[in-house]
Amino acid sequence: MSPAETTIPQGYGKVFSRPQSLSDAPTTYCPGCLHGVATRLIAEVIDELGIKDRTVGIAPVGCAVFLYRFYNLDFVQASHGRACAVATGLKRANSDLMVFSYQGDGDLAAIGTAETVHAANRGENFTVVFINNQIYGMTGGEMAPTTLPGQRTTTTPRGRDVASTGYPLRISEMLAQLDGPRYITRQSLHDAPHIAKSRKALLTAFSNQLEGKGFSMVELVAACPTNFKMSPDKANKWLVEQALPAYPLGDLKVKE
Amino acid sequence: MSLQLMRGNEAIAEAAIRAGCRCYFCYPITPQGELVEYMARELPTRGGEFLQAESEVSAINMVYGAAAAGVRTMTSSSSPGISLKMEGISYMAGARLPGVIVNIMRGGPGLGNIAPAQADYFQATKGGGHGDYRLITLAPSTVPEAAELVMEAFELSDRYRVPAMILADGMLGQMMEPVELPEPVDPADIPARPWALTGAKGRDPNVVLSFDLDPQGLKKMNQELQAIYRQIQHNEIRWEESHTEDAELLLVAYGTMGRIARTVARLAREEGIRAGLIRPITLWPFPYDPIRQAAQSVSTVLTLELSAGQMWEDVQLAVGQRADTPFYGELGGVVPTPRQILKEVKRYVSS
Ligand SMILES: Cc1ncc(C[n+]2csc(CCOP(=O)(O)OP(=O)(O)O)c2C)c(N)n1
Ligand code: SF4
Ligand SMILES: [Mg+2]
């Protein structure tokens, strides 16, 4: 039954329902994965701003490749890392569209670094949602540029050796140095208060686009319980203890 | 309509604007600089978007985005840059997005040089990117024809939802010729794009995808593509043919080499050699049948290219055992004179 059809018994009120922008397709994320939280938050924000009918999403290559199934929105799937170029093309072709890309850390901060930096530097008027889970989720848990020093992945079986593979890439800090972007922020998805903050950040990022204010990126620190080989609970604990010190939360750039 | 003296690169740019190209994305490279500059100057003042991207990879993905949004869109480059666009072209083919890619070829492989060459034939007509896809490939041999074929490329690309390439070379890009420019396309005549991403207002969401993880599903998507390609092969083969009726020797050449071959055929006729010419205009779909037909009555089919022999393979496929199929080519950006080629022609006629 879709949310609209649900009959509410007398004496009860509706306090929770599926956002209009979300379809009723089940997600393909692993149980306990924070991708699901981010996916839903975006839908809530699109509903709140009333922009569902003019929004186009861009699905990445990564665990969110099926993103188009989870929304009731026009969608395009981009090649690995190119979402910011595709978004540029969409927005330049039709500036009335509300365009957002949704990208993992491999997609945005490794193979798509150039596209991301230059779209940000041009101040393109779209919204980027960046899921930093410190790993390549979809391909089976390889090292990402965001992987922490010493972190074991399938391609760093002895732990990430910074002498040979470099350091966690703080791309939000990099982008915050540029004159182009309007809003760069890093939030986390590990508990309810932080999810609420993440939602607020997404609302700001989409509102900026609505007002023609230019490039906004919300980095959301997440975890990949499956490839971390942890329960969701443990993965969240790991996120707080290990990831957040490397990825401090808060607004990195707010251009007035 | 008056004639205008224009460089090939500029005529291509102007024709694209007249064809209704609204978004153009590029990365600079010689020998197509004038095309980029023309677009930078003209497109924004005529209602379009010009953007210099950070790379050819980005430029083709911007084309992918603009095409998904439902506008006519183009990118241009030269050989090394076209190599970088191949992933994006494969995605466009898979996602059934129309769009035009111009390759003003130069010498290769690698960085090669900036002189005219035709060594990207394989890349354009045999895949280039990954997967079972085809690119409508149009090869002009004069500046006016370049303008005409740009209009055609947009039309065909839209009609079949298959990306189209203009395959020319540095010679054509740089040369100046009088052109009668085509009339601008009336936007109302551009086919509707009900599949475009315009926001799901009052309809189900549209989705632009090039993948299907289910092998049966991807098989079906590929079968649909192949059906479209068969239609194109059936309907859209274009070629120029001259003096084939009484020919003893048939020349096959395209683009700049096709233009030189026209002179070669004339010079040969002046010396009593009955030379005919077939100049493929669509390199894909390739004019196999016209070449096969013309080969029935000749002893030799000589392929001429500015490469080591790429189209030659298709000519051999077309001709089979019907005639000898020698090849003459130049490499590395060297352009032969008609007299040099005539000497080669004489070798086959006297033997
Ligand atoms: C050009 C190209 N290279 C590699 C791949 C394989 N691949 C698919 S997803 C992926 C990594 C995704 O990791 P990330 O962007 O962090 O997303 P996550 O799955 O963690 O959400 C890679 C390398 C691909 N599809 N295309
Ligand atoms: S592999 Fe990791 S990131 Fe991907 S869906 Fe599963 S838990 Fe989430
Ligand atoms: Mg990741």
Side-chain angles (χ1 to χ4, degrees):
Chain A
M1 224 186 309
S2 79
E5 295 166 72
T6 314
T7 43
I8 300 165
Q10 242 193 340
Y12 289 83
K14 190 188 261 188
V15 293
F16 188 82
S17 62
R18 191 194 299 280
Q20 295 284 310
S21 299
L22 273 192
S23 74
D24 50 16
T27 75
T28 44
Y29 306 128
C30 304
C33 176
L34 296 176
H35 265 304
V37 177
T39 299
R40 183 189 161 100
L41 289 183
I42 295 167
E44 288 182 8
V45 163
I46 291 171
D47 279 10
E48 183 169 336
L49 293 174
I51 53 171
K52 180 181 162 296
D53 288 352
R54 51 188 282 214
T55 297
V56 175
I58 303 173
V61 171
C63 283
V65 71
F66 289 118
L67 206 62
Y68 63 93
R69 290 188 186 167
F70 313 149
Y71 291 100
N72 281 320
L73 300 171
D74 275 10
F75 246 89
V76 54
Q77 195 278 325
S79 70
H80 195 20
R82 315 301 172 214
C84 280
V86 175
T88 300
L90 279 160
K91 196 77 189 191
R92 297 277 178 144
N94 182 355
S95 57
D96 290 338
L97 296 177
M98 289 289 292
V99 175
F100 78 96
S101 76
Y102 183 107
Q103 303 174 254
D105 37 11
D107 194 81
L108 181 139
I111 194 168
T113 311
E115 285 76 6
T116 309
V117 168
H118 289 278
N121 194 44
R122 289 190 301 266
E124 295 286 344
N125 189 34
F126 55 75
T127 303
V128 176
V129 182
F130 167 36
I131 309 297
N132 173 1
N133 58 6
Q134 306 103 59
I135 207 153
Y136 283 20
M138 182 180 226
T139 35
E142 298 85 355
M143 182 189 74
T146 43
T147 293
L148 301 174
Q151 186 181 339
R152 279 176 205 270
T153 70
T154 56
T155 51
T156 56
R158 288 164 292 279
R160 183 176 188 176
D161 172 10
V162 294
S164 137
T165 62
Y167 294 83
L169 191 69
R170 282 185 279 271
I171 198 146
S172 290
E173 277 83 347
M174 285 168 61
L175 298 185
Q177 300 307 307
L178 304 173
D179 293 333
R182 185 78 190 200
Y183 177 56
I184 308 284
T185 190
R186 183 187 289 119
Q187 304 296 334
S188 173
L189 295 172
H190 66 274
D191 65 14
H194 287 88
I195 290 171
K197 280 190 181 170
S198 297
R199 188 185 190 283
K200 199 158 160 259
L202 288 166
L203 192 63
T204 304
F206 277 88
S207 302
N208 282 348
Q209 184 180 170
L210 201 53
E211 293 159 26
K213 288 180 173 172
F215 189 91
S216 298
M217 183 171 96
V218 180
E219 173 177 347
L220 298 173
V221 182
C224 170
T226 298
N227 288 301
F228 290 1
K229 299 184 175 54
M230 295 175 190
S231 66
D233 210 32
K234 272 233 178 76
N236 278 1
K237 196 157 173 276
W238 191 90
L239 185 164
V240 173
E241 288 168 6
Q242 305 292 323
L244 292 189
Y247 298 108
L249 304 182
D251 291 346
L252 292 154
K253 170 153 195 168
V254 183
K255 188 158 92 179
E256 289 313 324
Chain B
M1 270 272 6
S2 61
L3 286 175
Q4 267 176 278
L5 193 62
M6 285 187 107
R7 220 179 270 282
N9 282 332
E10 293 172 343
I12 289 171
E14 178 59 35
I17 297 172
R18 290 176 182 230
C21 172
R22 280 295 151 267
C23 288
Y24 168 80
F25 307 100
C26 64
Y27 188 84
I29 185 169
T30 311
Q32 55 91 62
E34 300 84 0
L35 206 169
V36 173
E37 288 165 21
Y38 193 96
M39 284 304 224
R41 206 166 55 233
E42 289 293 320
L43 195 53
T45 66
R46 290 159 72 178
E49 275 286 318
F50 168 92
L51 185 62
Q52 178 174 333
E54 56 274 14
S55 71
E56 288 87 350
V57 176
S58 293
I60 191 71
N61 281 286
M62 290 171 186
V63 165
Y64 184 85
V71 304
R72 284 195 165 173
T73 175
M74 182 171 98
T75 183
S76 67
S77 186
S78 178
S79 311
I82 297 292
S83 291
L84 283 182
K85 293 187 196 291
M86 282 298 148
E87 181 203 32
I89 293 172
S90 166
Y91 267 70
M92 286 174 73
R96 299 285 316 279
L97 289 178
V100 174
I101 303 107
V102 179
N103 182 1
I104 306 294
M105 289 181 280
R106 54 190 251 179
L111 190 54
N113 62 21
I114 58 171
Q118 296 181 314
D120 302 349
Y121 178 94
F122 284 155
Q123 188 191 48
T125 65
K126 308 290 176 194
H130 57 285
D132 266 324
Y133 79 92
R134 294 291 188 172
L135 202 51
I136 296 168
T137 308
L138 302 166
S141 72
T142 66
V143 175
E145 192 184 24
E148 215 176 283
L149 290 184
V150 168
M151 305 288 276
E152 187 89 0
F154 277 103
E155 290 297 328
L156 292 174
S157 183
D158 268 0
R159 189 178 315 149
Y160 294 102
R161 292 180 61 189
V162 166
M165 177 175 276
I166 299 288
L167 194 69
D169 60 65
M171 182 93 102
L172 259 162
Q174 301 296 317
M175 106 184 2
M176 294 185 88
E177 280 187 301
V179 192
E180 190 179 313
L181 286 163
E183 284 298 317
V185 169
D186 181 347
D189 291 340
I190 296 178
R193 292 163 159 82
W195 46 265
L197 308 183
T198 53
K201 187 173 183 176
R203 60 158 169 78
D204 286 342
N206 281 341
V207 175
V208 171
L209 291 180
S210 70
F211 81 107
D212 190 335
L213 292 192
D214 166 33
Q216 289 303 331
L218 191 63
K219 173 177 167 176
K220 192 163 160 279
M221 175 182 136
N222 268 283
Q223 284 172 331
E224 284 164 13
L225 271 183
Q226 294 303 321
I228 300 279
Y229 296 154
R230 281 193 294 278
Q231 270 184 41
I232 298 172
Q233 281 170 312
H234 186 261
N235 300 335
E236 309 298 349
I237 294 175
R238 289 162 180 53
W239 74 98
E240 176 195 314
E241 185 164 344
S242 54
H243 303 296
T244 47
E245 319 77 37
D246 68 336
E248 55 183 322
L249 175 135
L250 180 69
L251 299 173
V252 183
Y254 73 94
T256 285
M257 208 48 158
R259 178 190 186 109
I260 298 172
R262 236 182 263 136
T263 311
V264 175
R266 183 171 48 78
L267 293 176
R269 290 261 165 189
E270 282 169 14
E271 300 201 16
I273 302 167
R274 284 175 288 117
L277 170 66
I278 287 191
R279 180 175 67 84
I281 296 170
T282 49
L283 301 182
W284 192 87
F286 190 74
Y288 291 107
D289 282 340
I291 292 173
R292 189 170 296 131
Q293 220 99 69
Q296 308 281 11
S297 50
V298 302
S299 56
T300 306
V301 178
L302 175 61
T303 306
L304 308 171
E305 290 178 74
L306 297 175
S307 79
Q310 300 194 5
M311 180 181 71
W312 187 30
E313 294 191 0
D314 284 323
V315 174
Q316 286 174 294
L317 263 179
V319 175
Q321 303 302 313
R322 292 173 186 82
D324 286 342
T325 50
F327 174 76
Y328 175 81
E330 267 296 2
L331 300 172
V334 176
V335 181
T337 64
R339 294 267 166 212
Q340 271 171 298
I341 301 174
L342 185 62
K343 238 190 245 167
E344 191 70 16
V345 167
K346 284 179 180 167
R347 271 183 43 198
Y348 297 107
V349 178
S350 57
S351 61

